[in-house]
Amino acid sequence: MPAIVETRGLTKVYGDGTEALKPLDLDIEEGEILALLGPNGAGKTTLISMLCGLVSPSSGQARVGGHDIITRYRDARALIGLVPQEIALEPFQKVWDAVRFTRGLFGQGRDDAHLEDVLRKLSLWDKRRSKVNELSGGMKRRVLIAKALSHNPRVLFLDEPTAGVDVDLRRDMWNMVADLRRDGVTIILTTHYIEEAEAIADRVGVINHGELLLLEDKQALMTRLGRKTLRIELRRPVEAVPGGLSGYDLELAEDGRSLSYHYDTQGEGTGITALLQDLSREGLALRDIHTRQSSLEEIFVDLVKGEDA
Ligand SMILES: Nc1ncnc2c1ncn2[C@@H]1O[C@H](COP(=O)(O)OP(=O)(O)OP(=O)(O)O)[C@@H](O)[C@H]1O
């Protein structure tokens, strides 16, 4: 099946010369949840804005549901829901009218039952007759989500959906994402919260300086997360890893006072028992041992730092 979102050599250079997106080839499969991680200014919003038709690409192509985002703009856009980072709403419009109007904009017929369902799921039903400017910031954000879902999109973009939102909204949002996924909706979210990507994404992409540095199945990343490091502090420094320990993946610290052993927690055996026995056989006395687990956050920071170096 062709990808629901496809980009080929898609780029964006803003008028002031900022290269916000370098040539990007990306396939997003129907029904998947893709989390895009990246520091501020990495180019995430630019990518989403191009796919939603809000920013024009400098070169390359993109299709949503097989429709070119430029030549078949309306068809592409009709499949998309966007929850933007910035709150942009008509202040004097009532919640119900705002949501119904958005549905109409996409040329969809009236479906009050669907809108009621969306508003109820977002705990907005009781506020349907309130004007937008009477709502709290969190409620306004809920209205943005309701608007994005008003026309039953097949692809939903969430641009930092949980930045600065309270626990209730975050919970409602993830329940909603779970429901949408059951209905086969494709979800692309940008986030700074790496745990969030860890919790809900099928795939994780990392963007920095307008470049996609990594795009990987979350399960594969979790396997990488399974890597742990055992740090062994020695009573007396050594100059080199003793020959009898050459069969282990050991790293000696520069000062010779500690050894680091990397192992896979998801593998058959960790090899730790044998290592400790062999250390003692080699006459190395231990001062202390610690273990630490690499996290998605570290993988992310390493990638981004490596790029900046
Ligand atoms: N309209 C614009 N004109 C010029 N430069 C822009 C414009 N919009 C964004 N940029 C620049 O393009 C780069 C990418 O910005 P973008 O907003 O896409 O990043 P982002 O990853 O979404 O960041 P954040 O997490 O802060 O939202 C940045 O250097 C930004 O300053």
Side-chain angles (χ1 to χ4, degrees):
M1 210 167 53
I4 192 149
V5 177
E6 305 168 71
T7 75
R8 293 292 175 270
L10 189 70
T11 70
K12 179 66 192 178
V13 181
Y14 284 106
D16 62 0
T18 305
E19 197 180 9
L21 192 71
K22 296 185 179 148
L24 176 71
D25 292 346
L26 175 65
D27 284 333
I28 302 172
E29 301 303 325
E30 180 147 27
E32 76 167 313
I33 300 185
L34 172 67
L36 290 173
L37 305 172
N40 290 125
K44 308 176 297 292
T45 303
T46 299
L47 170 60
I48 289 181
S49 302
M50 284 196 284
L51 294 172
C52 296
L54 303 173
V55 165
S56 50
S58 302
S59 61
Q61 285 99 39
R63 295 210 261 205
V64 177
H67 308 297
D68 187 279
I69 58 161
I70 307 229
T71 57
R72 302 273 302 280
Y73 162 75
R74 271 177 202 285
D75 296 325
R77 189 65 180 88
L79 299 175
I80 294 175
L82 167 66
V83 180
Q85 226 176 81
E86 309 269 334
I87 295 181
L89 293 164
E90 286 291 333
F92 301 108
Q93 208 171 27
K94 291 193 174 138
V95 169
W96 178 260
D97 295 338
V99 177
R100 211 170 63 170
F101 178 68
T102 305
R103 184 175 170 89
L105 269 187
F106 288 96
Q108 301 258 348
R110 193 166 163 168
D111 185 348
D112 290 356
H114 170 64
L115 298 187
E116 177 174 344
D117 184 45
V118 167
L119 292 183
R120 284 193 187 278
K121 278 190 183 140
L122 289 162
S123 311
L124 274 175
W125 183 242
D126 294 344
K127 303 274 180 198
R128 66 191 178 282
R129 295 197 188 89
S130 304
K131 285 187 190 142
V132 165
N133 66 349
E134 293 163 359
L135 302 178
S136 67
M139 283 291 167
K140 285 184 184 141
R141 201 154 269 285
R142 287 171 190 260
V143 175
L144 286 180
I145 302 168
K147 275 162 66 83
L149 296 176
S150 65
H151 60 290
N152 306 83
R154 299 305 301 155
V155 182
L156 181 66
F157 290 96
L158 298 166
D159 198 359
E160 288 186 34
T162 51
V165 308
D166 66 14
V167 179
D168 286 346
L169 176 49
R170 193 173 287 211
R171 190 202 48 225
D172 285 359
M173 186 116 69
W174 298 136
N175 286 337
M176 190 196 74
V177 164
D179 282 357
L180 291 169
R181 153 190 254 164
R182 267 193 295 277
D183 294 342
V185 175
T186 307
I187 296 165
I188 295 120
L189 73 122
T190 71
T191 181
H192 289 289
Y193 299 106
I194 295 173
E195 326 80 68
E196 206 158 84
E198 242 177 83
I200 66 159
D202 298 309
R203 274 201 302 169
V204 174
V206 176
I207 299 191
N208 194 23
H209 298 312
E211 195 174 355
L212 187 67
L213 301 178
L214 167 144
L215 182 64
E216 199 167 330
D217 184 83
K218 191 190 61 191
Q219 227 40 56
L221 271 174
M222 295 316 281
T223 308
R224 270 214 263 167
L225 293 184
R227 265 170 65 87
K228 274 187 135 183
T229 302
L230 174 71
R231 198 175 133 100
I232 303 151
E233 290 181 24
L234 305 172
R235 272 194 193 282
R236 282 173 298 279
V238 292
E239 292 204 343
V241 176
L245 299 174
S246 61
Y248 297 95
D249 174 17
L250 285 172
E251 238 173 84
L252 180 64
E254 267 182 28
D255 62 6
R257 290 181 181 276
S258 67
L259 290 163
S260 292
Y261 171 61
H262 304 291
Y263 63 99
D264 185 352
T265 51
Q266 297 180 359
E268 284 285 297
T270 59
I272 292 175
T273 312
L275 171 64
L276 292 179
Q277 283 166 354
D278 287 343
L279 281 166
S280 140
R281 197 167 297 139
E282 289 293 324
L284 298 181
L286 314 187
R287 183 188 298 281
D288 203 352
I289 55 176
H290 323 263
T291 59
R292 54 184 286 285
Q293 173 137 30
S294 59
S295 66
L296 179 52
E297 176 128 23
E298 281 176 78
I299 294 174
F300 170 70
V301 169
D302 282 352
L303 265 168
V304 169
K305 256 202 335 224
E307 250 249 313
D308 288 344

